[in-house]
Amino acid sequence: MESEDDKASRQQLQGGLTLVDRYTIQDVIGVGGMGSVYRARDLHFPNVVKLVAVKEMINLAPDPMIRKTIVQNFEREANLLATLNHLAIPRIYDYFSHNEHSYLVLEFVHGKDLETVITDTNGFLPEDQVISWAIQLCDVLDYLHGHKPDPIIFRDMKPSNVMINHNGNVVLVDFGIAKTFQTGTKGTMIGTEGYSPPEQYRGEATPVADIYSLGATLHHAITRRDPRLEPPFSFAERPLRRINQNVSSEFEAVVNTALQYNPVDRFPSASAMKDALMSVARKTGALSKITSALPVSSGGIKPLWSFKCEDEIRGTPTLNQGSVFIGCYDNNLYALNAADGQFQWKYPTEGGIVSRPSVYDNNVFFGSEDKRLHVVNARNGKVVWTYYTGGKIYSSPRIADGHIFVGSEDQDLHAVNVMTGRAIWKFSTDGPIHSTPLVANEMVYFGTESGSFYALDFRGELKWRFQAKRPVTSSPISKGQSIYVASLDGTLYSLDAKNGWAIWKFRLGKGSVSSPAIADDLIFIGAADGFIYCVDVRTSKEVWRFKTENQVSSSPVVYKDSIYCGSIDGNLYCLEYRTGRLRWKFEAKAAITGSPIIFDDIVYFGSIDHHVYALFA
Amino acid sequence: MAEFFKNLLRKKEEPEKPKLVDMATTAPLTDQQLNSIMGIQSIKSETKQLVASVGQSVGKQRDHNEDSVLALTSTIVGSAEGIPFGLYIVADGMGGHQFGEVASNAAIRIMGGNITKKFHSYLYDLPTQALQESLQEVMEISITEAHQYVQREAPGSGTTVTAALVLGQQITIAHVGDSRAYSIYPDGRIDPITRDHSLVKRLEELGHLSKDEVENFPHRNVLIRALGQGEFLEADIFTLPFPQGGYLMICSDGLWGVISEKDIIRCITEAPTLNRACQNMVEAANAAGGPDNISVILAQLIG
């Protein structure tokens, strides 16, 4: 045994080694029958840390026929994965061979496999949690089984092939034996004993075989009894509720149906099983009870890097060409390396900076409390030009077709030529402008501290005006024919973009300076009552709300299927956007008033605690 | 957008005159006409014009009409561009109940009166202050008031209500019961935009009825929500864009339950005018037996 291990370790790649001048090996994350799986950094993205999983296959088979088959299987996995596109399936980036070594480069999944989650959990996993994963697994099986032209049978569903990522969602890994199913063909027996259905041992692989293995996986997850240690097909002798009394009889019935010996007695499809699980979830209330008590996200999140400025950061960063630009109340604009947080340069102004920088044509544009719009070179921080307004600038510049729009405390909206820094026009309003203008439909939309909301055309002429009861500090967004903006009067407004009529109003518990975000038909916004709200854009009905411990002035940001938002309570929250379920939170040392930005799976944001943070999304 | 800034340097031009549209040629539209309308629409700040027509019939098998209809088309004054305004309501009084037509009539009067009152100064005067409520709130308040009125004045009766408030290029719907609103697109697509509050629809949604069973369900007329029925009225209220280059249609089940969507499209595309289109649909429903009162409103946004 020892010599075997030695041999394996000798064959493992050492950290720091770079494959094909591109993938620098960092660590071993798994050992399989044919080789190891590594975490590596993709050097193709020098400015950010892009992690990938590199799956190695060492082909030492002496028989050339077998060697060839192994390589073919490997390439089959690569080609199969390349055609798939699903959130619960890792994306494939690359594959290559080198002597007897073949490598597959895949999306790196931050998280743990389900087998580890089961082992690491004291006691039983909550039924609600297992149901939610089961529903997701049905979704991905349904996707695979519905693959055209031929269904894909995963054939190796088991806890160790199910990753639970750091958002608490499942990702299926190890497609080594997933096989495109051709009707009538009998495959060879591949699969993992204990989880595989009887017919798979006879060489048959069908979609309902995956249903059985999913049932076996759920059985293991809910009972903690490893089926590999039990006689084959003996699940009926270990009913869920005899081992774990907390399980509902409804869920037990679903697992039993999936585990039927005879394939025709099982759910006919993954979607049928999902429907059954959904109705269990509705009955037991699992959908609403699924909470943040995830075994994977409780461990505390370590930032990828952090950088300390000399005063509070209240604003929002911008990322461009591998640099993070962020303003600070130490009066400087900072440029940091997005990959490691290394200081690149800073540019001093004569006032605090809350304005979010914009980058255009290698120049960074931002406003400062020193009343100026500053334009500096993105590479070296050298000033290009500055533009004076009559008041402090809290609004962020919006650049559209070579022109900059920015509001000022001088009550004017300024349109400035992006090249020369000369004013094109100014539009005078009835109050200071903190709101960041929106450019859409060939119009410029913004709010003022006197509660007005303006729509101007590009000549700076008023098209319409809407009056809220308190200041409109929030920055508008648009979708379709509507503009969405909040006010300190405690209302989120949907306004007709063309004429300013209020289509609906949604009452928030308190005022809001947060700017809304939209995904699908849902709109998200924070408010001073500490809630993050999700509202249906069509009906203005609340979909969910999430309570933070203090005011939310940060604006939610949608990325993939999550929203990210800071709170004055000092946490950055990551919520599932459809349900408002907490995925994780990260605690800074002081309030987070600005908004995060997310790029290539990394979240960047600043805090009143003087730090800029970068975290894995 | 860049165009705009170029234009800034030039002298300000007279705004483009809206092209006159001959009402008689609004429907059916040839491909060429459609393209030209689409072409006009892509130019910004176009003036839109709302037109509408109504068709109604007692049907072949009933002796009195329990449907009520309101169609009001106008323009909001006091804005340079003239914002189209339309209020379209179909209410179908519940048969088997006392005074179905009383309920449908009251619903129309109360809702229509309430909404036009809110917009009075915009339609007939120069507004001195902005409307306090949002459009969805106006609809919600009005339908609730109609509900309370019917409960008070005609207890025991009930009616469907499908109301559409068109303002600019968006439609705000208030809906209860099984009358329907549809978006009809220039390519012949027809999408129902309301969901029937009927027993048969509910059973279908729950998967208890197959398509065939739905067709032959004996209690197709049983509503699970209606104005005037139940203590609280839970109306569906939502906003959607007016179908570009297409139509908004509202009708009672005397139309949609009798002729197919294909027939509806044919009636509309074969008619030279909106009026004729409405008459065609009413005639088609009567030709198919006319088992119920028939009401239809067809609206179009031109320009």
Side-chain angles (χ1 to χ4, degrees):
Chain A
M1 283 304 286
E2 223 176 306
S3 65
E4 286 276 327
D5 281 350
D6 282 348
K7 195 173 160 195
S9 69
R10 264 207 315 280
Q11 289 165 351
Q12 262 173 8
L13 303 178
Q14 297 301 310
L17 181 82
T18 300
L19 296 171
V20 290
D21 287 337
R22 176 160 181 184
Y23 306 104
T24 303
I25 301 298
Q26 291 186 334
D27 211 347
V28 180
I29 53 176
V31 182
M34 304 298 294
S36 302
V37 185
Y38 304 91
R39 185 183 69 227
R41 181 175 167 192
D42 185 351
L43 299 180
H44 224 79
F45 298 85
N47 295 322
V48 288
V49 179
K50 184 177 179 68
L51 295 180
V52 294
V54 176
K55 186 174 170 183
E56 174 190 47
M57 193 205 59
I58 305 165
N59 197 346
L60 295 172
D63 182 334
M65 280 302 285
I66 296 174
R67 282 173 72 104
K68 204 176 147 200
T69 308
I70 291 171
V71 171
Q72 280 171 350
N73 282 346
F74 182 83
E75 289 181 354
R76 189 180 66 192
E77 180 179 358
N79 285 314
L80 178 68
L81 275 171
T83 65
L84 303 181
N85 178 18
H86 192 278
L87 271 181
I89 298 171
R91 280 173 294 169
I92 183 165
Y93 298 130
D94 200 359
Y95 72 92
F96 50 91
S97 289
H98 184 68
N99 297 334
E100 67 271 24
H101 295 248
S102 296
Y103 298 93
L104 192 61
V105 183
L106 302 152
E107 181 181 350
F108 178 69
V109 181
H110 304 276
K112 286 184 191 176
D113 70 70
L114 181 55
E115 189 168 334
T116 310
V117 171
I118 295 169
T119 317
D120 288 357
T121 305
N122 293 319
F124 295 113
L125 285 166
E127 175 183 337
D128 295 343
Q129 181 61 74
V130 177
I131 288 177
S132 126
W133 289 332
I135 289 168
Q136 294 180 34
L137 286 168
C138 285
D139 268 337
V140 62
L141 283 183
D142 188 42
Y143 172 81
L144 292 171
H145 296 166
H147 185 262
K148 296 281 183 275
D150 298 308
I152 293 168
I153 314 302
F154 185 65
R155 295 219 288 183
D156 204 12
M157 176 69 79
K158 57 178 175 178
S160 62
N161 279 344
V162 175
M163 290 292 290
I164 307 297
N165 71 17
H166 65 303
N167 286 335
N169 290 335
V170 307
V171 180
L172 268 191
V173 295
D174 202 352
F175 276 70
I177 63 150
K179 181 180 181 303
T180 309
F181 178 66
Q182 285 138 348
T183 324
T185 49
K186 304 249 179 196
T188 47
M189 196 217 85
I190 310 176
T192 304
E193 239 177 283
Y195 298 98
S196 300
E199 70 274 17
Q200 202 156 319
Y201 292 89
R202 295 194 298 268
E204 292 170 19
T206 63
V208 283
D210 280 347
I211 303 274
Y212 182 96
S213 303
L214 174 55
T217 300
L218 298 177
H219 191 284
H220 183 179
I222 210 87
T223 63
R224 299 177 59 89
R225 297 283 186 93
D226 189 333
R228 288 165 296 188
L229 307 175
E230 308 282 346
F233 321 123
S234 62
F235 293 106
E237 296 154 28
R238 301 189 300 284
L240 295 190
R241 273 147 62 84
R242 197 190 297 162
I243 299 165
N244 180 350
Q245 277 96 18
N246 297 326
V247 176
S248 67
S249 55
E250 289 88 350
F251 184 47
E252 183 182 63
V254 171
V255 174
N256 284 349
T257 306
L259 283 172
Q260 287 297 308
Y261 189 89
N262 193 344
V264 299
D265 295 335
R266 294 175 207 148
F267 293 104
S269 66
S271 65
M273 181 163 170
K274 180 188 167 183
D275 289 345
L277 286 164
M278 290 295 281
S279 79
V280 173
R282 272 191 291 271
K283 219 170 271 173
T284 63
L287 283 185
S288 55
K289 270 189 289 180
I290 296 166
T291 56
S292 58
L294 291 181
V296 281
S297 61
S298 55
I301 292 165
K302 286 190 195 69
L304 194 61
W305 54 259
S306 67
F307 176 86
K308 191 168 189 296
C309 303
E310 283 158 41
D311 207 329
E312 296 177 353
I313 298 172
R314 301 186 198 167
T316 302
T318 293
L319 189 133
N320 187 269
Q321 307 250 342
S323 293
V324 173
F325 302 101
I326 192 162
C328 176
Y329 269 73
D330 65 13
N331 297 358
N332 288 296
L333 183 89
Y334 286 84
L336 309 174
N337 185 323
D340 52 17
Q342 284 295 309
F343 173 84
Q344 289 176 328
W345 51 259
K346 65 180 177 182
Y347 168 85
T349 71
E350 284 158 35
I353 305 169
V354 67
S355 172
R356 177 186 174 169
S358 283
V359 181
Y360 177 81
D361 204 10
N362 281 322
N363 289 329
V364 188
F365 298 72
F366 60 98
S368 160
E369 284 186 337
D370 68 8
K371 304 184 179 180
R372 283 179 295 179
L373 175 70
H374 296 263
V375 183
V376 301
N377 184 296
R379 292 258 161 266
N380 54 30
K382 293 277 191 308
V383 63
V384 179
W385 50 261
T386 60
Y387 171 89
Y388 277 92
T389 71
K392 295 175 178 177
I393 300 182
Y394 298 108
S395 168
S396 307
R398 185 75 72 179
I399 301 174
D401 276 357
H403 294 78
I404 308 156
F405 302 96
V406 70
S408 162
E409 285 256 291
D410 68 4
Q411 310 197 354
D412 286 348
L413 187 88
H414 298 256
V416 182
N417 183 301
V418 76
M419 300 304 293
T420 62
R422 281 210 311 267
I424 295 173
W425 49 258
K426 286 190 254 184
F427 180 88
S428 295
T429 73
D430 55 356
I433 304 169
H434 294 177
S435 167
T436 294
L438 164 73
V439 176
N441 316 316
E442 298 183 337
M443 305 254 268
V444 185
Y445 304 94
F446 60 96
T448 73
E449 295 306 294
S450 63
S452 294
F453 187 83
Y454 291 88
L456 312 179
D457 69 13
F458 281 166
R459 297 186 175 95
E461 284 173 19
L462 179 68
K463 298 308 279 186
W464 53 261
R465 174 176 160 179
F466 176 83
Q467 191 67 40
K469 295 186 185 71
R470 298 281 307 277
V472 180
T473 310
S474 164
S475 306
I477 58 165
S478 79
K479 190 190 182 195
Q481 298 183 18
S482 289
I483 302 289
Y484 302 93
V485 73
S487 161
L488 280 163
D489 67 14
T491 309
L492 172 65
Y493 293 94
S494 164
L495 305 177
D496 191 310
K498 287 224 157 59
N499 52 46
W501 283 76
I503 290 165
W504 53 252
K505 300 175 183 180
F506 177 83
R507 293 297 306 174
L508 306 161
K510 278 188 178 169
S512 173
V513 296
S514 169
S515 304
I518 285 199
D520 305 332
D521 275 337
L522 304 175
I523 184 160
F524 310 94
I525 191 151
D529 60 4
F531 284 100
I532 298 165
Y533 292 86
C534 170
V535 177
D536 185 309
V537 296
R538 241 166 62 99
T539 63
S540 67
K541 295 263 189 302
E542 180 177 313
V543 178
W544 54 258
R545 62 167 81 183
F546 177 88
K547 188 165 176 39
T548 76
E549 301 305 317
N550 207 326
Q551 303 184 8
V552 180
S553 59
S554 171
S555 305
V557 178
V558 179
Y559 183 75
K560 292 186 176 169
D561 54 351
S562 297
I563 67 158
Y564 299 82
C565 189
S567 167
I568 307 293
D569 71 14
N571 286 298
L572 183 87
Y573 292 92
C574 171
L575 312 176
E576 191 176 281
Y577 81 61
R578 298 210 153 274
T579 60
R581 182 170 69 89
L582 178 68
R583 288 186 152 149
W584 53 261
K585 59 182 179 179
F586 170 82
E587 191 169 7
K589 291 177 202 73
I592 300 168
T593 56
S595 306
I597 55 163
I598 300 127
F599 184 78
D600 212 1
D601 292 336
I602 296 174
V603 193
Y604 306 88
F605 62 97
S607 162
I608 300 292
D609 70 9
H610 303 192
H611 284 86
V612 184
Y613 294 96
L615 314 175
F616 281 121
Chain B
M1 186 146 104
E3 281 294 299
F4 260 86
F5 285 101
K6 279 178 210 149
N7 288 341
L8 287 178
L9 304 173
R10 280 192 265 141
K11 246 182 69 188
K12 226 163 111 186
E13 288 170 3
E14 283 291 310
E16 207 178 282
K17 285 211 180 76
K19 294 207 170 67
L20 281 176
V21 181
D22 180 0
M23 288 290 293
T25 64
T26 49
L29 300 170
T30 63
D31 286 346
Q32 210 172 8
Q33 283 172 311
L34 279 176
N35 287 337
S36 76
I37 288 172
M38 299 304 222
I40 295 166
Q41 279 168 350
S42 63
I43 302 168
K44 54 108 261 169
S45 79
E46 68 286 5
T47 300
K48 294 275 183 184
Q49 194 186 344
L50 187 63
V51 289
S53 188
V54 177
Q56 253 199 315
S57 164
V58 72
K60 293 281 188 203
Q61 296 171 30
R62 305 272 174 107
D63 51 10
H64 66 296
N65 186 16
E66 293 183 336
D67 282 5
S68 299
V69 169
L70 183 142
L72 175 66
T73 307
S74 186
T75 306
I76 299 279
V77 297
S79 67
E81 285 172 19
I83 300 168
F85 172 94
L87 177 59
Y88 308 108
I89 313 179
V90 166
D92 175 0
M94 284 164 70
H97 278 275
Q98 290 279 306
F99 311 123
E101 70 272 30
V102 175
S104 68
N105 232 296
I108 297 269
R109 269 187 295 117
I110 304 295
M111 271 199 89
N114 214 302
I115 295 166
T116 42
K117 227 175 279 166
K118 292 279 181 208
F119 283 91
H120 187 276
S121 66
Y122 294 93
L123 293 170
Y124 308 113
D125 207 345
L126 277 176
T128 48
Q129 61 174 38
L131 191 67
Q132 289 305 299
E133 298 91 356
S134 69
L135 303 182
Q136 290 193 357
E137 282 166 342
V138 168
M139 296 301 265
E140 176 101 54
I141 293 165
S142 303
I143 200 167
T144 304
E145 235 170 73
H147 173 66
Q148 288 163 350
Y149 179 90
V150 168
Q151 277 190 319
R152 204 168 53 237
E153 303 296 326
S157 69
T159 181
T160 75
V161 171
T162 300
L165 173 65
V166 178
L167 197 86
Q169 297 177 42
Q170 305 213 63
I171 310 167
T172 299
I173 299 274
H175 164 77
V176 58
D178 71 347
S179 297
R180 288 186 180 174
Y182 290 90
S183 283
I184 299 172
Y185 297 91
D187 61 3
R189 260 183 314 129
I190 173 164
D191 286 341
I193 53 186
T194 50
R195 236 181 62 203
D196 299 346
H197 300 138
S198 64
L199 180 64
V200 59
K201 187 73 189 172
R202 184 79 192 127
L203 292 174
E204 188 188 358
E205 282 169 3
L206 292 173
H208 293 322
L209 294 180
S210 71
K211 215 173 161 189
D212 275 356
E213 288 169 323
V214 168
E215 299 288 325
N216 302 312
F217 191 69
H219 310 294
R220 290 181 59 85
N221 299 330
V222 176
L223 298 185
I224 54 173
R225 271 191 235 169
L227 191 130
Q229 299 277 305
E231 194 170 347
F232 297 104
L233 179 74
E234 205 191 321
D236 293 343
I237 292 173
F238 54 91
T239 304
L240 74 164
F242 203 102
Q244 284 282 313
Y247 307 85
L248 165 70
M249 184 177 88
I250 307 175
C251 62
S252 60
D253 64 343
L255 185 79
W256 69 255
V258 178
I259 64 171
S260 68
E261 292 184 348
K262 221 190 246 167
D263 291 335
I264 291 173
I265 294 293
R266 198 174 47 236
C267 287
I268 295 174
T269 50
E270 283 177 359
T273 64
L274 281 187
N275 290 342
R276 185 65 68 76
C278 289
Q279 291 315 314
N280 284 354
M281 286 190 274
V282 168
E283 279 165 23
N286 273 330
D292 200 351
N293 305 147
I294 305 155
S295 299
V296 59
I297 302 174
L298 197 58
Q300 192 182 17
L301 202 52
I302 304 169

